Amino acid sequence: MRNFKSLRPEIFALGNSRFSTAAEPSSKQNPPRVPNLIGGSFVDSQSSEFIDVINPATQQVVSQVPLTSNEEFKAAVSAAKQAFPAWRNTPVTTRQRIMFKLQELIRRDMDKLAMNITTEQGKTLKDAHGDVFRGLEVVEHACGMATLQMGEFVPNVSSGIDTFSIREPLGVCAGICPFNFPAMIPLWMFPVAVTCGNTFVLKPSEKDPGASIMLAELAMEAGLPDGVLNIVHGTQNIVNAICDDEDIRAVSFVGSNMAGMHIYSRASAKGKRVQSNMGAKNHAIVLPDASIDATLNALVAAGFGAAGQRCMALSTVVFVGGSKSWEDKLLDRAKGLKVTAGTEPDADLGPVISKQAKERICKLIQSGVEGGARLVHDGRNIVVPGYEHGNFIGPTILSDVTADMECYKEEIFGPVLLCMQADSLDEAIKTVNRNKYGNGASIFTSSGVAARKFQTEIEAGQVGINVPIPVPLPFFSFTGSKGSFAGDLNFYGKAGVQFYTQIKTVTQQWKGLGSGSGVSMAMPTSQK
């Protein structure tokens, strides 16, 4: 059992040269090991199986994450269960104050968190700061939890009888996180859950667990009691354990469709609440009257930013009236982007997460070419000086893409922009709506009439009008739909509070001691 502060110099002092700039794969024999968090203590796993956490720009092993044993997982759930009674009875104002302190500490350590994310995940430092900040906004929203949890009251629903409803926490909840937002997604989950009065078991991505560990340390520094937040690690076995455990009441997941539907089906079958954010194929429709420079900048940023590894990446553009007049300008902007390690100050795109991810992306690009798409710009063979071993793919543009191509049907999750064409807005909307996913869709136009038609007819949960990535701020909810979401209640906002709470309705009657009128065997009603 170790205090985390003793781990930080080993694992997270990322200014250390052995974490930041080496171009060759690491030869270090004993990289630091990422601990579990169980009952308020950072504990070395007794597992003999570990996964290397690899810097995708250098292939250097940053740390090793354990495959948490079943006994350790049970201990984490038990710690959460034991912490729940006292935590649920902690005043909501006290829980809010902990969130106030947590957001202050996240701001204090923003640079350290961003550097860890860039080292483990690969995104640029600027983008890593955005990753942390979008999660921080959810923490800020949780600071107003008392208002969000207010119930309802109706006096005198019948003679002398009042009815009111209250929101109560569920108990132990769990979160399963993806690799692409190491700070934002955990912060979508546990701050809302614990401020509602639940306790939490978090499983970070095995590819980049460092930010979750750092956030947990900050949460405890902010005053979160022992056992309220616990962290375990692993892959399929630990995911299945979360789905099956009888003490876990709700599961939050963000990731791929295959994993998301497995988790939704398995956990739901055990009677758990599940919210599962999954894959996407986000479209933009560009009308001829769109502002040229603003639209081009939006398409490039949303299509290639974070190396395309966003569930709200704008991966497909439908040009109404033809794409040729836009392609040359898109090409110029794509060529101007700097692909290099995320720690470099002028980086626009970092690497993708793994060699396997790069191979899959290249395969989907090739399938498009073989299917008849026109390769406007090819970023597959890029070599980054000083980082020759990195998982880099440059901005890639495929044009003349059709809906039957594999590159269109599959979520690429890389810096690849697909260009399609439509003769009219109606045809473009039908193209978008035929796609199985429904995370987001945008339109670029100067016509209010066209924009209103689009927002009414488009079948996507999040709509942008001249906005390329329409992710709502936390006082709304992240409302992906269709094949991009499984469950009934979305992440954060009012829906997030509803997900992590259950309603109890109380009907009460107070009468004087001598007011009895005998026994009535009839169904109680509000009639006198």
Side-chain angles (χ1 to χ4, degrees):
M1 195 173 291
R2 295 185 286 174
N3 183 291
F4 178 69
K5 290 186 184 299
S6 67
L7 299 176
R8 195 178 224 181
E10 300 173 35
I11 301 179
F12 302 115
L14 297 174
N16 190 310
S17 62
R18 63 190 171 92
F19 289 117
S20 57
T21 59
E24 295 295 327
S26 172
S27 60
K28 186 173 176 64
Q29 296 301 309
N30 297 302
R33 291 185 170 180
V34 181
N36 296 315
L37 172 59
I38 301 174
S41 297
F42 288 95
V43 186
D44 282 330
S45 175
Q46 298 305 301
S47 173
S48 60
E49 296 181 90
F50 287 81
I51 297 172
D52 288 340
V53 177
I54 297 173
N55 183 326
T58 66
Q59 305 307 311
Q60 189 167 19
V61 177
V62 177
S63 60
Q64 289 185 320
V65 62
L67 300 184
T68 298
S69 70
N70 188 60
E71 292 75 19
E72 291 163 344
F73 169 73
K74 288 291 186 183
V77 175
S78 177
K81 186 177 181 180
Q82 291 174 30
F84 176 63
W87 181 243
R88 71 166 296 174
N89 289 319
T90 300
V92 66
T93 49
T94 301
R95 300 197 299 257
Q96 285 182 156
R97 289 187 190 105
I98 292 172
M99 290 300 110
F100 272 114
K101 184 63 176 177
L102 177 59
Q103 65 86 26
E104 175 189 330
L105 296 175
I106 290 172
R107 289 178 183 276
R108 182 195 72 188
D109 286 2
M110 181 85 74
D111 290 345
K112 296 176 184 177
L113 284 159
M115 179 60 81
N116 172 268
I117 291 168
T118 296
T119 301
E120 293 187 354
Q121 198 272 349
K123 64 178 64 177
T124 67
L125 276 173
K126 186 175 182 180
D127 199 33
H129 276 89
D131 185 332
V132 179
F133 192 83
R134 289 306 295 257
L136 174 64
E137 291 173 330
V138 179
V139 180
E140 291 172 340
H141 189 58
C143 293
M145 188 57 69
T147 302
L148 297 171
Q149 284 196 274
M150 289 173 67
E152 298 174 313
F153 182 91
V154 178
N156 222 41
V157 295
S158 188
S159 181
I161 297 177
D162 306 325
T163 299
F164 60 93
S165 66
I166 54 178
R167 287 200 170 273
E168 295 188 330
L170 303 175
V172 181
C173 302
I176 302 168
C177 301
F179 74 83
N180 57 326
F181 286 99
M184 184 182 78
I185 300 301
L187 291 174
W188 278 14
M189 296 177 181
F190 79 81
V192 178
V194 302
T195 316
C196 285
N198 302 285
T199 54
F200 209 79
V201 177
L202 182 72
K203 192 206 87 66
S205 169
E206 67 278 8
K207 294 180 172 66
D208 44 23
S212 288
I213 295 289
M214 296 173 77
L215 289 168
E217 184 202 21
L218 296 182
M220 290 191 295
E221 184 180 344
L224 201 66
D226 293 351
V228 175
L229 175 62
N230 304 271
I231 296 179
V232 295
H233 305 283
T235 54
Q236 184 173 350
N237 287 344
I238 209 77
V239 167
N240 288 340
I242 288 171
C243 294
D244 295 344
D245 193 282
E246 294 181 356
D247 289 325
I248 292 176
R249 298 287 308 281
V251 179
S252 300
F253 169 79
V254 177
S256 70
N257 275 68
M258 182 177 294
M261 289 310 300
H262 169 78
I263 290 164
Y264 177 73
S265 300
R266 185 159 180 154
S268 296
K270 298 291 184 177
K272 303 183 195 315
R273 288 188 181 182
V274 184
Q275 52 180 190
S276 180
N277 266 13
M278 301 180 289
K281 199 75 174 180
N282 305 303
H283 294 67
I285 294 176
V286 177
L287 297 186
D289 64 356
S291 170
I292 294 174
D293 284 337
T295 300
L296 288 168
N297 290 339
L299 296 180
V300 169
F304 303 132
Q309 297 175 121
R310 294 171 175 154
C311 64
M312 285 294 288
L314 208 166
S315 60
T316 306
V317 189
V318 184
F319 293 100
V320 175
S323 63
K324 195 68 180 76
S325 62
W326 294 89
E327 286 176 11
D328 291 342
K329 299 182 181 70
L330 273 176
L331 178 59
D332 287 342
R333 281 169 167 77
K335 286 180 176 179
L337 297 176
K338 181 68 175 290
V339 181
T340 186
T343 50
E344 297 294 336
D346 56 348
D348 293 311
L349 279 77
V352 296
I353 190 66
S354 66
K355 288 187 177 298
Q356 293 79 9
K358 179 177 178 178
E359 289 170 2
R360 179 181 176 275
I361 294 163
C362 291
K363 179 182 176 183
L364 286 169
I365 294 169
Q366 187 59 31
S367 75
V369 173
E370 293 173 358
R374 181 163 44 86
L375 195 57
V376 177
H377 190 52
D378 189 354
R380 289 175 291 180
N381 298 318
I382 191 168
V383 176
V384 178
Y387 300 95
E388 288 82 2
H389 297 280
N391 310 321
F392 293 100
I393 300 179
T396 299
I397 303 171
L398 283 170
S399 194
D400 300 335
V401 173
T402 57
D404 60 343
M405 293 180 182
E406 185 182 6
C407 64
Y408 176 78
K409 291 186 287 186
E410 295 290 326
E411 183 180 29
I412 298 177
F413 227 57
V416 182
L417 192 62
L418 307 182
C419 298
M420 306 175 75
Q421 301 182 48
D423 292 330
S424 65
L425 176 58
D426 284 319
E427 182 186 340
I429 290 173
K430 288 177 182 176
T431 296
V432 177
N433 286 347
R434 279 193 293 266
N435 192 275
K436 66 180 179 180
Y437 295 112
N439 240 9
S442 298
I443 188 170
F444 293 88
T445 180
S446 58
S447 168
V449 173
R452 195 168 190 279
K453 175 183 175 68
F454 173 81
Q455 76 176 44
T456 301
E457 297 182 11
I458 207 69
E459 296 172 4
Q462 294 161 121
V463 175
I465 297 173
N466 297 317
V467 174
I469 304 178
V471 176
L473 290 173
F475 32 86
F476 292 94
S477 297
F478 189 98
T479 51
S481 62
K482 293 171 65 176
S484 296
F485 181 76
D488 297 313
L489 294 167
N490 297 98
F491 281 83
Y492 61 74
K494 291 180 181 178
V497 174
Q498 291 166 5
F499 179 78
Y500 288 121
T501 56
Q502 56 194 350
I503 294 177
K504 179 182 286 183
T505 304
V506 180
T507 300
Q508 62 182 9
Q509 173 180 259
W510 298 101
K511 291 186 176 180
L513 292 177
S515 59
S517 57
V519 176
S520 172
M521 304 300 290
M523 169 70 78
T525 72
S526 60
Q527 298 181 55
K528 289 185 179 180

